[in-house]
Amino acid sequence: MSSFRGVLLDIDGVLHVSMQPVAGAAETLQWLERLGYRTCFVTNTTTSSRATLVRNLQAIGLPLAEERVVTAPVATAAYIRQHYPGKRCWLLTKGDTARDFVGIALVESGADIVVIGGAEELLTYEAMNHAFRMLMDGAVLLATHTNLYWRTSEGLQLDSGPYVHALELATGQRATVLGKPNRTFFEQALLTIGVQPHEAVMVGDDIENDIGGAQQAGLRSVLVCTGKHRADSPLLERIHPDAILPSIVDLPGWLEEQA
Amino acid sequence: MSSFRGVLLDIDGVLHVSMQPVAGAAETLQWLERLGYRTCFVTNTTTSSRATLVRNLQAIGLPLAEERVVTAPVATAAYIRQHYPGKRCWLLTKGDTARDFVGIALVESGADIVVIGGAEELLTYEAMNHAFRMLMDGAVLLATHTNLYWRTSEGLQLDSGPYVHALELATGQRATVLGKPNRTFFEQALLTIGVQPHEAVMVGDDIENDIGGAQQAGLRSVLVCTGKHRADSPLLERIHPDAILPSIVDLPGWLEEQA
């Protein structure tokens, strides 16, 4: 076994691409399990609850244990329970993400907390203006992440990050961002598996959110080139992963080299 | 006559409030005319074309000459004709504002120039994403103004400024802003009436856009308290108009004092 005890893994772009499993990903997860690595899956996805995400991944042959998956909405809900117990929360999130906020009072108006966590059809002018008015009435602004955009088969799509920034500008308030690359997010994942930052490596496809975020939190990091960013990304002039691997299947070999 | 030859006047909040004329506004305009002041009306409004705006103002007893009205869309169109002759333009503007862009090639997609000039029902996710993709394909971003929000009888409403900022963040591009408080806007208005900045006074109700903008362009400035900002605004700690008057009807008295 290598000098690492824990492995954090991003999901989309690392284990699957558009719900097509990366070849050998499931076998790599079994290998990590067999060798005693503690794994935790960390994702900024805001399209569904953790339970639904895990079920969908199981359906494509990626059996992840739900208690070892930390999503941006799960981290956001944990933050609210810790810092704003009993407060009323208005969610702008997709799918069944509200399931991750169990125990938190969810309201349609008059909220103490506004959570921006989705994009596309949710980001109507009406929803933005509703959020804006609650913020001007004293609500605090939380964001599951501040991703700017993502790539789809039809082209680039605006993500919620620019809209969070729009609300920040209009209200003069800074949002608290809970997903990657936030340090707290990585700490929450490490706590889940009882591993210290210096004992862990983060494996991701996003240079800023995965690699940069992990390094800020004191972890080492590995970029895989099956997803968002490749080995020729200009972002690598600024952020330097400990390794750049073609795919998750190259991780066992790299971990063995670190022994 | 005072040391001023030209008077620039904002319209909404100065001459009328929600289309109710300010008491004595029409008489003040007649007084300015009679004493030989050259007047120009400068507004960031993006809800209608200049022709429609003038007709609506005439209907409430404010007879403004169309050629002496400079709106943010009119200034934007002038900028495009000067800097981007022959280029294709996509407009996100309200009402019949497109009439102000006569002679400019207006397209639904594949634009060289994206103009953000309206709010509310126009600021859908689909429109924003469409603009975003054209900007990522190389179009330049123009904004008629970057107002953050305005007050309505139902409460605050998000204006297009935060959305312009969202597109700037997502694309890494800085928008060129053509309306107040942009210096070019005041210069265009002064050119219309053949008056130098030091010979002119700007009368407005918006401390940043009217007063701050005019001062940056070298004009003197008068705040009237019938609209957006009052004499107790914290913005006055930072921006100092030459005078604060209760209303436009107090302008003749103030101008006579400056003689």
Side-chain angles (χ1 to χ4, degrees), chain A:
Chain A
M1 193 167 165
S2 75
S3 57
F4 298 109
R5 292 179 61 229
V7 180
L8 305 193
L9 296 124
D10 183 25
I11 299 174
D12 190 355
V14 175
L15 302 182
H16 72 85
V17 176
S18 301
M19 295 311 275
Q20 292 292 317
V22 168
E27 292 73 14
T28 303
L29 295 183
Q30 288 161 7
W31 184 91
L32 289 168
E33 196 72 26
R34 202 164 58 239
L35 267 80
Y37 287 100
R38 298 187 188 182
T39 53
C40 184
F41 303 91
V42 289
T43 171
N44 270 359
T45 190
T46 53
T47 51
S48 63
S49 70
R50 174 165 66 174
T52 299
L53 172 69
V54 166
R55 201 171 53 244
N56 292 342
L57 292 171
Q58 284 170 344
I60 60 164
L62 294 169
L64 275 48
E66 188 173 333
E67 67 277 10
R68 279 197 276 140
V69 175
V70 180
T71 69
V74 163
T76 304
Y79 182 87
I80 292 171
R81 289 187 197 97
Q82 188 182 351
H83 291 86
Y84 299 105
K87 295 294 183 187
R88 292 161 304 171
C89 184
W90 182 80
L91 295 183
L92 189 79
T93 55
K94 292 187 83 164
D96 62 344
T97 318
R99 290 175 63 185
D100 293 326
F101 291 77
V102 63
I104 296 169
L106 302 182
V107 295
E108 290 300 315
S109 59
D112 307 302
I113 304 161
V114 165
V115 176
I116 307 293
E120 294 180 287
E121 71 276 16
L122 296 176
L123 294 168
T124 65
Y125 178 80
E126 292 68 27
M128 283 285 284
N129 204 49
H130 187 51
F132 168 65
R133 288 179 179 178
M134 288 188 284
L135 293 168
M136 292 298 270
D137 284 341
V140 297
L141 178 59
L142 304 188
T144 54
H145 63 77
T146 50
N147 293 1
L148 298 179
Y149 57 86
W150 77 100
R151 192 174 291 279
T152 72
S153 50
E154 287 102 56
L156 299 179
Q157 288 281 132
L158 273 177
D159 210 329
S160 54
Y163 284 80
V164 171
H165 211 61
L167 289 173
E168 289 184 320
L169 182 73
T171 64
Q173 185 184 146
R174 280 297 293 273
T176 301
V177 184
L178 281 312
K180 295 181 281 183
N182 187 298
R183 185 193 187 94
T184 315
F185 185 82
F186 291 96
E187 289 169 351
Q188 195 175 330
L190 292 172
L191 207 63
T192 305
I193 52 173
V195 166
Q196 297 293 314
H198 70 272
E199 302 172 314
V201 62
M202 169 72 207
V203 183
D205 69 323
D206 183 315
I207 295 168
E208 285 175 312
N209 283 331
D210 293 327
I211 308 303
Q215 291 184 335
Q216 287 290 321
L219 288 76
R220 271 170 288 178
S221 60
V222 169
L223 178 71
V224 293
C225 300
T226 42
K228 191 173 194 173
H229 292 140
R230 302 294 151 97
D232 62 353
S233 168
L235 290 169
L236 290 169
E237 290 167 23
R238 189 161 56 77
I239 298 171
H240 309 289
D242 294 278
I244 300 176
L245 303 178
S247 152
I248 182 80
V249 297
D250 303 296
L251 185 66
W254 184 81
L255 284 170
E256 284 173 346
E257 283 172 26
Q258 311 304 308

